Amino acid sequence: MSNPLLDNIRKMRNDELIGLAKNRFLPEEMQLALIDIGYRTGHMHLMENAGLTKKARDLLWSDSINSGYVYKATLIHNGYYKDDTDKYWEFFDKYPSAWSRSPWRMMNAFLYHRDPASSPGGWYSRQGLECGANHTPADLLNKIYDTYFSKKIEDDYRSAFGIGYAARHRQHSFASHPNCDLELAIKVSTCGDPQAQKKAFEKIVELS
């Protein structure tokens, strides 16, 4: 049977494509057709759609659709790979330059977690998604910390620019992350920021 939406998808205006991409009940064949069009804004809305199928998800992840880091960061950020932590490692290993080019995007993907209990009406709840950063494994959190945010790195940065809110927030986010392990908590406990250190000591007590 003919599908008028599918048959006419290449004739649609951008606002019509966006409307389709936002529809939670969009069938997989339509999702794949939207991806095939190559409309970036449509792709971004599709990656905020709780009805995104695994086949569509994996196609958006593939280098054939987008070889950069933005799509992959967005898919992890929105929780589409929360049960496949190998994707977290794959993404981390493949795009080291993204930490200097777009640090906020990388922190959103890996570190800036959300507590569903404290924000039941938040963005993720409204979208029907789950924060992917909540699922970053402990060994990867340690690797990220050691590579980009260790005490020595932060100390060197402070000596040149002073310590700002962003640095304090980063350190506190590591200590308060649900997957922060004892090794990471000990590292943060010497970071130099009182609030982050307090949180790290609380985590050490909890884990000990």
Side-chain angles (χ1 to χ4, degrees), residues 138 141-142 145 171 174-177 179-191 196-208:
L141 287 172
N142 275 279
Y145 190 86
Q171 294 291 332
F174 277 106
S176 61
H177 193 282
N179 291 334
C180 175
D181 62 5
L182 185 59
E183 180 183 358
L184 180 57
I186 291 171
K187 294 171 187 174
V188 180
S189 71
T190 64
C191 71
Q197 289 184 172
K198 179 182 178 182
K199 188 64 182 179
F201 282 121
E202 291 174 357
K203 179 68 74 169
I204 290 170
V205 172
E206 174 191 331
L207 296 173
S208 298

Side-chain angles (χ1 to χ4, degrees), residues 69-70 77 98-99 101-110 112:
Y69 58 85
V70 173
H77 173 64
W99 289 95
R101 296 173 61 187
S102 190
W104 64 272
R105 192 180 295 278
M106 302 302 280
M107 299 297 277
N108 278 337
F110 290 115
Y112 291 155

Side-chain angles (χ1 to χ4, degrees), residues 1 16 34 50 55 60 65-67 74 77 79-80 85 101 111 129 131-132 136 144 158 164 169 182 191:
M1 176 181 266
E16 293 172 327
L34 272 170
K55 186 173 182 179
L60 285 164
I65 298 301
N66 186 281
S67 60
T74 302
H77 173 64
Y80 290 111
T85 54
R101 296 173 61 187
L111 182 64
L129 299 172
C131 178
T136 305
I144 293 169
R158 288 190 193 103
H169 182 54
L182 185 59
C191 71

Side-chain angles (χ1 to χ4, degrees), residues 46-60:
L46 200 54
M47 288 187 285
E48 293 178 353
N49 187 332
L52 187 69
T53 68
K54 288 185 177 181
K55 186 173 182 179
R57 173 201 69 177
D58 291 342
L59 184 57
L60 285 164

Side-chain angles (χ1 to χ4, degrees), residues 88-102:
Y88 287 66
W89 277 102
E90 178 185 331
F91 180 49
F92 172 80
D93 289 336
K94 190 171 182 178
Y95 300 97
S97 64
W99 289 95
S100 57
R101 296 173 61 187
S102 190

